[in-house]
Amino acid sequence: MSKKSKEKKNLKSSILVLLLIAILLIASTYAWFTANRIVTISSLNVQVEAQNGLQISTDAVEWKAVISNEDIATGYAGHKNQVPTVMEPVSTAGEDDSAGRLRMFYGLVNPDDDGDYALTATEETTEQAGDNGKYIAFDIFFKADTAMDIDLTAESSVTSAAAEKGLQNATRVAFLVLGHGGADTDATTAQGWNTREDLAIWEPNAGSHTTVAAASANSTYYGGATTVQGGAVDQTPITYYGVKAAITTPIKLSKVNSNSPDTTYFTQMTGLHSTNEAMTPVEGILSLEAGITKVRVYMWVEGQDVDCDNSASGSDITFDVQFEAPEDIGG
């Protein structure tokens, strides 16, 4: 399917996905927390709106113009929509498993035999409905009358009331496309799709860093080169390495967050949709075929991000995600 014309300026149709999550971080050293590890979610407000030939659902049965928190909690029989009451940092290299889930790894940081902080990691193998887990994940279904590419608009953002602490700079949102079929596909079939067709990971505030995070980046990511400024909001994103395998023998944080970590356990993250604090639209972040498309949404605090450090404690985070569809939807 061809990408929609870059000349498209005025969009008269939109899918509006507004995901508001207030997260209170009780505690968070440079990349990965070393103190109390609880991140409390005080509220989750979700509004999903579709217009002019676009419909949305949490079960592929009841198609709506707007879906709510209650819809996500209800889901469908056997769904695995998890919205935990507490969160902890995890990391992913963007790989998926045979069950249609992103492979997420939960890291723990403790002193090693030399007294240095070192990382171990275990894979999160279960996603369950309810307030379980260390990150947010839920399914949505789109129904479109025609094939289209959807943009992430300039209204999208991840912000914090305590912006100076910088936790909003360590967040990620992923959209994992798990299948599509014709408009007459029965709900049970659509619900059962779990084969990866596409993945888009959004890295918001990618050019913003606190003074503490910048100092860490300069000493561990860039070998002492002064390349990252604390407080700047439009720098080039720092390349990081997502965890891709369980770490049973502790690895020093100085090796975890470096230019060349062990590729047995880490993969350099490329192809991210990185945006700075001054958000600009991301064109074609998702492609929908005519008919029904299943997408699993992930939201997490990325432990491998340099901004995931103790200085970010006490932050509130709001995720605000908005999609727009082509102007010619619905004819």
Side-chain angles (χ1 to χ4, degrees):
M1 182 180 65
S2 62
K3 294 291 183 182
K4 65 178 182 295
S5 172
K6 291 185 178 179
E7 286 80 17
K8 173 179 65 68
K9 300 298 182 182
N10 298 318
L11 302 174
K12 70 178 181 180
S13 304
S14 69
I15 300 175
L16 173 62
V17 180
L18 200 54
L19 302 170
L20 286 182
I21 298 180
I23 300 177
L24 171 64
L25 179 64
I26 303 303
S28 88
T29 188
Y30 65 88
W32 296 100
F33 300 164
T34 62
N36 298 329
R37 303 178 52 79
I38 296 175
V39 182
T40 301
I41 303 174
S42 58
S43 66
L44 170 62
N45 297 311
V46 180
Q47 177 179 310
V48 184
E49 182 177 328
Q51 299 177 4
N52 198 18
L54 300 169
Q55 301 175 73
I56 196 160
S57 175
T58 56
D59 60 7
V61 175
E62 187 175 359
W63 297 95
K64 299 184 175 184
V66 178
I67 62 174
S68 65
N69 289 36
E70 183 178 356
D71 296 317
I72 290 174
T74 302
Y76 52 87
H79 76 85
K80 297 178 180 179
N81 295 347
Q82 66 176 37
V83 182
T85 54
V86 296
M87 293 179 68
E88 299 185 58
V90 294
S91 182
T92 182
E95 298 177 353
D96 60 283
D97 63 15
S98 59
R101 299 183 300 248
L102 280 185
R103 296 184 68 199
M104 292 283 191
F105 293 86
Y106 170 55
L108 284 173
V109 176
N110 291 293
D112 63 9
D113 293 339
D114 299 323
D116 298 326
Y117 281 120
L119 176 72
T120 57
T122 56
E123 185 168 2
E124 292 289 293
T125 58
T126 302
E127 293 175 0
Q128 303 179 46
D131 57 359
N132 311 283
K134 298 176 175 64
Y135 53 89
I136 293 167
F138 58 89
D139 294 333
I140 55 176
F141 301 85
F142 295 107
K143 182 183 283 188
D145 292 342
T146 187
M148 68 186 76
D149 291 332
I150 297 176
D151 296 343
L152 191 63
T153 77
E155 299 302 314
S156 302
S157 65
V158 179
T159 58
S160 172
E164 71 281 0
K165 296 187 175 183
L167 185 64
Q168 71 276 9
N169 304 334
T171 57
R172 300 291 186 275
V173 179
F175 308 99
L176 179 62
V177 180
L178 293 178
H180 71 269
D184 59 350
T185 301
D186 67 90
T188 300
T189 297
Q191 293 165 6
W193 290 331
N194 63 6
T195 301
R196 173 177 173 160
E197 295 190 357
D198 197 9
L199 173 68
I201 299 178
W202 175 37
E203 179 184 11
N205 307 309
S208 301
H209 310 288
T210 64
T211 300
V212 172
S216 174
N218 293 330
S219 63
T220 62
Y221 284 74
Y222 293 109
T226 306
T227 58
V228 181
Q229 300 298 316
V233 298
D234 59 357
Q235 300 181 82
T236 300
I238 297 175
T239 298
Y240 74 98
Y241 293 77
V243 178
K244 71 175 183 179
I247 302 170
T248 56
T249 302
I251 300 176
K252 294 180 186 294
L253 284 185
S254 59
K255 301 297 184 182
V256 167
N257 300 300
S258 69
N259 284 320
S260 55
D262 189 336
T263 56
T264 301
Y265 304 104
F266 305 95
T267 294
Q268 184 174 10
M269 298 301 291
T270 59
L272 302 178
H273 297 277
S274 300
T275 59
N276 288 330
E277 186 174 309
M279 176 73 181
T280 56
V282 179
E283 294 190 350
I285 194 169
L286 281 179
S287 294
L288 304 181
E289 298 293 334
I292 299 172
T293 301
K294 180 182 180 182
V295 178
R296 189 155 181 82
V297 180
Y298 286 83
M299 303 167 65
W300 73 98
V301 175
E302 174 56 57
Q304 283 290 96
D305 191 296
V306 69
D307 290 286
C308 182
D309 63 57
N310 288 341
S311 64
S313 62
S315 302
D316 293 317
I317 299 178
T318 299
F319 288 82
D320 195 349
V321 181
Q322 183 185 93
F323 292 99
E324 286 184 334
E327 61 180 359
D328 57 349
I329 298 303

